[in-house]
Amino acid sequence: MPHASIQSARPALRRLPTRASRTVQGVLRRLLPWVFASQRLQLDHGNADEGLAREFAAQQQGERTLLLAFRHPSPRDPLVLADLFWTRVPEAARRLGLTLPRPIELRFLYDRGIPLWAGPLIGWLLQRCGGIAIHRGRLDRPALKQARDALAQGRHALVVAPEGATNNLSGEMAPLEPGVAQLAFWAAEDMDEADDPRPLHVIPVGIRYSWRRPDWAALEARLTALEQHLGLSPEDQGNRRERLLRIGAELIEALEQLERLRPEQDQPLTQRIEAYRLHGLRKAESHFGLRASGTLQERCRRIEQAAWDRIYRENLDQLPPLERSLADWEAREADQQLTRMRLVEHFTSVSGHYVSDQPDFDRFAEMVLLVEEAIGWIEASPWNGKPSLGPQRVELSLGEALAVQPRVADYRSNRRRAVQQLTNDLEQALTELMRARLE
């Protein structure tokens, strides 16, 4: 397990206000093609640019409000979407003869923790691009109200990732969180109370990454490097899946020894990974006195928030010396539990079935990258995988709009059921977009 990076308690996290700047967005828009070129990433907008051009034209003419819900397989998604919204959609609108009276401005939710690990510059840019910072592990009422108001007022489309976080897999989606559906119903009720007749549309946006030219030789070299790093003998050179599973088994065995877990003999790797995940979650929850309930994502968010509450403290400078020392001690322990939770998150997507279900290059490559990232996280040193797996493409797609107002009556009679149904419908739409790109 990596050493704790936090050595002392820190002042409480301040709220990051939204300070949208067209100037900053204009500069970023011009830089994005250079960023994609440096990453050798090719963009394929499919039907997304023209479909969104029609939606934004109607939105800017006061005919509807928009909530855009996108698949979130990669940390690069925000840059891809920024290029789509700021450049490709206006180009498509001109091509279709549609009028956009003003530049597209967005509001989007992002995790308040991002600037902590990505740096203050990223936090500054997120604010200037219309971001609404939200604490994901607790009921962040100010952030939710800001997002709700933006959606109800309708001047800015609201952009959210209903998976809550990246899973680094283009072919498998994490369970959706219900917050997107709940925001949509809140805004629809606000619009109804204000006698606002505009429909509110939830628009599913699909994102899929793939390698443009499968380079099996490079993948074989990456597998060999992992085997050598873990001290494995090069067996079954022709069976990539078995090699990948053997690497995963060696990695999970090391973690089991660290946590003093004793798996059953011949227990399948997927079950061992699940046991490790649950053990890590329970250990962190026990440390913070949290109740073990909800989905894996929800449990991780509560652990994250509990750790932050102990690391980032109110009135820290007013503590007497002994209490300040104890606060530092508690912060170090909290960071260690946060590290344990992050490692559990890294293993959320690791499984044997992902490459068994569809043993193509993209799935093998994504799983190798996940394993490399997990090893880098454990060793507190980023894994520099070589040789390169080659240039990639990202394909975007648009699903049919989900109208919210026709569901409001059901929401008022049974809120939980209506939120779950809208979440299920959105998940189905995103799944269909993902599968359509796989065919």
Side-chain angles (χ1 to χ4, degrees), residues 163-178:
E163 290 168 275
T166 61
N167 73 345
N168 298 299
L169 301 178
S170 285
E172 189 166 278
M173 190 164 60
L176 301 194
E177 298 180 354

Side-chain angles (χ1 to χ4, degrees), residues 318-371:
Q318 299 177 17
L319 295 178
L322 179 60
E323 290 188 27
R324 175 56 194 261
S325 295
L326 291 174
D328 293 341
W329 190 345
E330 191 173 44
R332 287 192 292 271
E333 290 186 336
D335 187 58
Q336 191 69 57
Q337 298 301 324
L338 189 59
T339 300
R340 174 175 278 108
M341 185 273 291
R342 297 286 187 223
L343 192 53
V344 168
E345 283 189 312
H346 274 86
F347 275 90
T348 299
S349 305
V350 176
S351 67
H353 79 83
Y354 188 64
V355 291
S356 298
D357 293 347
Q358 189 172 322
D360 59 19
F361 180 85
D362 291 334
R363 292 199 173 203
F364 270 108
E366 287 177 338
M367 198 57 63
V368 166
L369 292 176
L370 272 174
V371 172

Side-chain angles (χ1 to χ4, degrees), residues 218-226 368-369 372 385-389:
L219 185 64
E220 294 276 357
R222 299 279 278 260
L223 283 171
T224 299
L226 285 169
V368 166
L369 292 176
E372 291 176 347
K386 292 180 180 179
S388 169
L389 296 176

Side-chain angles (χ1 to χ4, degrees), residues 418-429:
V419 167
Q420 188 59 55
Q421 185 60 56
L422 180 53
T423 301
N424 291 344
D425 291 347
L426 177 58
E427 183 168 15
Q428 180 179 351

